[in-house]
Amino acid sequence: VLGMGDGFLYTVAPAITPSLSGAATKVYDASVAAPAGSLVLSGAGAIDGDTVILSAAGATYDTRNVSAGKAVTANGISVTASNGAATVYGYQLSSSTASANIGEITPATLTYTANAAGRERGDPNPAFSGVVTGFVGGETLATATTGTLAFNSPANQATLEGQYAINGGGLIANAGNYVFVQAPANASALTVTAPVNFSWVATTGGAWESGTNWNNGFAPVDGAVVTIPDLPGSATITYSSGTTNVKTMNSFAVLTIS
């Protein structure tokens, strides 16, 4: 070792072999950049009790996709050395990179958000719609997923008045890079209200109480607006018992309700 000012210079440069440990974990962001905060660089090959410190310009994953046990590479490694208070010069690196399978990328989250909808009890569900949000790195529905986006509800024509879910689905994330969740508001996005408009759909007379004679699949309820079209001949609609308070009765035929 030759003296050089306030440090030392090796005439035959010792070679340091870098190694990488620690962990690099992040949520998917569509890039290969790896967080370096928990990475540890160490080097073998120091001599004479020298202390060597390695640092890297950055770190990358082998791919951008979600998985565990991913290869992580520290790039642009440099070395500094000291012995006590003196700086030691002349150390070289056997490689400016170091790799280890210490990486993990976890899925980002996409959210199905349904547009609110409403209908009367007895009506079929309308066409539902909504959006998917949460894409990262400039990705879109077309570039990051496969399948067909659809929104559906467990409510059917027989479902009573109330609020019901409209849930999104139909998509698969490429490479598992996203997981899907429902927006909280989806749980009550569909409002089913009391039926108002009832139309007689039978081609002749019949029993008022028979749901098959009405457009909603059941007889009019209190407050209904009832429409009866022009029926052939002398039609009779039979009301067997009870009371129904209809708001309006529109009849286009001469008929008898008994």
Side-chain angles (χ1 to χ4, degrees):
V1 179
L2 298 177
M4 184 177 178
D6 57 357
F8 300 97
L9 173 65
Y10 286 109
T11 55
V12 177
I16 297 296
T17 300
S19 61
L20 183 65
S21 60
T25 301
K26 72 171 184 178
V27 176
Y28 176 76
D29 63 3
S31 79
V32 296
S38 297
L39 296 178
V40 178
L41 279 170
S42 54
I47 60 175
D48 292 341
D50 293 338
T51 300
V52 296
I53 298 175
L54 304 182
S55 58
T60 55
Y61 294 100
D62 51 351
T63 71
R64 70 177 191 168
N65 294 327
V66 164
S67 69
K70 297 181 68 66
V72 177
T73 300
N75 304 292
I77 297 174
S78 59
V79 58
T80 58
S82 61
N83 194 303
T87 301
V88 177
Y89 302 94
Y91 275 98
Q92 296 185 359
L93 292 167
S94 61
S95 174
S96 60
T97 65
S99 298
N101 296 329
I102 55 173
E104 182 177 10
I105 298 179
T106 59
T109 299
L110 294 178
T111 302
Y112 290 111
T113 302
N115 294 322
R119 64 167 176 82
E120 294 180 5
R121 175 164 63 94
D123 287 345
N125 286 329
F128 298 126
S129 62
V131 297
V132 179
T133 58
F135 293 101
V136 297
E139 292 188 326
T140 65
L141 192 72
T143 62
T145 67
T146 58
T148 301
L149 174 62
F151 286 86
N152 297 284
S153 177
N156 56 39
Q157 286 180 268
T159 300
L160 299 178
E161 293 85 346
Q163 290 186 298
Y164 299 90
I166 301 176
N167 292 319
L171 299 177
I172 299 173
N174 296 341
N177 290 329
Y178 295 93
V179 293
F180 296 90
V181 299
Q182 304 292 331
N186 288 7
S188 57
L190 174 63
T191 301
V192 177
T193 57
V196 174
N197 297 297
F198 286 80
S199 297
W200 185 267
V201 294
T203 58
T204 186
W208 177 282
E209 297 83 3
S210 176
T212 59
N213 291 329
W214 298 98
N215 63 311
N216 288 324
F218 51 91
V221 297
D222 287 348
V225 175
V226 176
T227 301
I228 299 175
D230 189 6
L231 300 174
S234 179
T236 298
I237 296 176
T238 302
Y239 192 109
S240 62
S241 63
T243 302
T244 301
N245 298 306
V246 299
K247 180 178 181 181
T248 305
M249 172 77 79
N250 300 305
S251 176
F252 295 89
V254 177
L255 55 86
T256 301
I257 300 177
S258 63

